[in-house]
Amino acid sequence: MTGSSERLVRLLNMVPYLRANPGVSYDQAAADLGVSRNQLAKDLAQLTFCGLPGGAGGDLIDICYDDDGLAIDVLDSQGMDHPLRLTSTEAATLLLALRALADVPGLVDPAATRSALAKVEAAAGGVPPEGHPPAGAQESAAVAAVRAAVRDRCALSIEYYSASRDALGSRVVDPIRVTLIDNQSYLEAWSREADGVRLFRFDRIQAAVMLDEPSAPPEPAVAAETDTGLFNADPALPSATLRIAPDSAWMLEYYPMRLLAENADGSLDAAMTYASEAWMSRLLLGFGSAVTVLEPAALAEQVRAAAAEALRAYDLTD
């Protein structure tokens, strides 16, 4: 569990704990909650900004505690010490959100998601949609290993398919976090091979093994926000500018591309890096007239020549 998740769970538990122990001292509360006195003070300050929508004085949790730490009292819990009651609309919305979250690999524990879904469905008096598979049931061994490595802060050995290089490679990484970008989940990690932060798409991680050593990414890499500029790939690699027909716009979700322009006819101009001109030519041939190479000229000529050769071969066998 990440630090932010741990704190969320602790904050959710603090209000009923403090309600059940009115006047508890800082030292006793810190010991019972398993945190330092300094962290407890930070958590109490955070709780005073939590509550119901609106954010006005009467909408927020009200906690009374003095500077000498002798006593802590909850004056207004905003209902956080009572069981949650959902309307049918809220329950349906929550179920949809849980199922959507469960469909994205690596973000959540499938067992926890199934348990939460079952509880909400039971409370709402409903049943899972007919034919809908259990949430998270299809998690692969690789995805489970990545989640475990992030949770336990362990180094990871992965087999990863690079679409731009059309190659499967092995590397050892130090996981930082799991992140969601454009409805795709990625492992953000420090690549020891590249000596830098890289993003690894979950559906391209073919295998993963958690190593018996701690994950040790540089602190600045951990503190920094996710850099989506990593999608621009290696600047040392050649780049092609492509014009993609509207019906093939899905390419931008599957291949590492950068959108350059949206044209009036619905077509898209995008840049894509590649390591092998021969591989890139084969890839583009498969899309036929749906993708046009705008530049470089050498790649466009190679694609045209390969297409002409294929047509000649077809004529000979016809």
Side-chain angles (χ1 to χ4, degrees):
M1 186 181 289
T2 63
S4 58
S5 298
E6 290 173 346
R7 190 177 191 193
L8 175 60
V9 172
R10 189 170 64 249
L11 290 173
L12 290 173
N13 288 330
M14 277 184 67
V15 176
Y17 165 81
L18 295 173
R19 274 292 206 188
N21 296 275
V24 66
S25 69
Y26 267 53
D27 292 336
Q28 185 61 52
D32 290 344
L33 295 168
V35 296
S36 67
R37 183 186 173 107
N38 184 53
Q39 183 61 58
L40 176 65
K42 292 180 180 179
D43 289 345
L44 289 170
Q46 180 69 49
L47 276 174
T48 60
F49 289 95
C50 300
L52 300 175
D59 299 322
L60 301 177
I61 295 173
D62 190 4
I63 301 178
C64 176
Y65 53 96
D66 49 34
D67 293 335
D68 57 15
L70 294 178
I72 306 171
D73 285 293
V74 177
L75 303 181
D76 188 346
S77 68
Q78 294 296 340
M80 285 187 62
D81 55 342
H82 300 296
L84 178 63
R85 296 182 184 277
L86 299 175
T87 65
S88 58
T89 301
E90 290 171 337
T93 302
L94 180 58
L95 286 170
L96 286 173
L98 283 170
R99 288 199 174 277
L101 188 62
D103 287 339
V104 182
L107 286 184
V108 295
D109 181 348
T113 305
R114 287 194 297 270
S115 175
L117 277 166
K119 290 175 180 177
V120 176
E121 286 166 348
V127 295
E130 185 176 354
H132 197 295
Q138 303 302 316
E139 182 177 62
S140 68
V143 170
V146 173
R147 280 200 313 100
V150 174
R151 179 193 64 218
D152 298 338
R153 299 183 177 90
C154 290
L156 193 67
S157 174
I158 62 173
E159 297 283 333
Y160 188 74
Y161 171 71
S162 173
S164 61
R165 298 175 187 269
D166 189 26
L168 186 66
S170 302
R171 63 195 80 192
V172 174
V173 301
D174 294 293
I176 297 174
R177 62 182 66 90
V178 174
T179 186
L180 185 67
I181 302 172
D182 293 335
N183 296 320
Q184 291 286 350
S185 51
Y186 293 82
L187 167 67
E188 184 178 353
W190 181 266
S191 172
R192 297 183 184 181
E193 178 187 55
D195 195 31
V197 176
R198 294 292 185 269
L199 292 170
F200 301 98
R201 214 167 100 167
F202 265 84
D203 59 358
R204 294 180 185 158
I205 300 175
Q206 304 296 308
V209 177
M210 191 165 62
L211 304 179
D212 189 21
E213 58 178 288
S215 175
E219 186 56 37
V222 177
E225 294 184 0
T226 301
D227 181 10
T228 55
L230 293 170
F231 290 113
N232 294 340
D234 188 344
L237 294 175
S239 176
T241 302
L242 310 174
R243 179 154 294 165
I244 304 169
D247 290 346
S248 296
W250 58 266
M251 288 179 65
L252 275 79
E253 299 180 2
Y254 189 79
Y255 295 99
M257 293 183 175
R258 179 164 49 90
L259 180 63
L260 301 177
E262 299 183 23
N263 303 310
D265 62 356
S267 64
L268 305 173
D269 291 350
M272 178 177 176
T273 57
Y274 56 95
S276 165
E277 194 170 79
W279 175 84
M280 189 67 167
S281 178
R282 292 196 305 273
L283 172 71
L284 297 176
L285 277 175
F287 288 98
S289 61
V291 179
T292 302
V293 180
L294 301 181
E295 57 182 36
L299 177 62
E301 179 56 36
Q302 180 167 334
V303 172
R304 282 193 293 269
E309 181 64 27
L311 288 173
R312 284 194 295 272
Y314 179 81
D315 290 338
L316 290 174
T317 57
D318 190 10

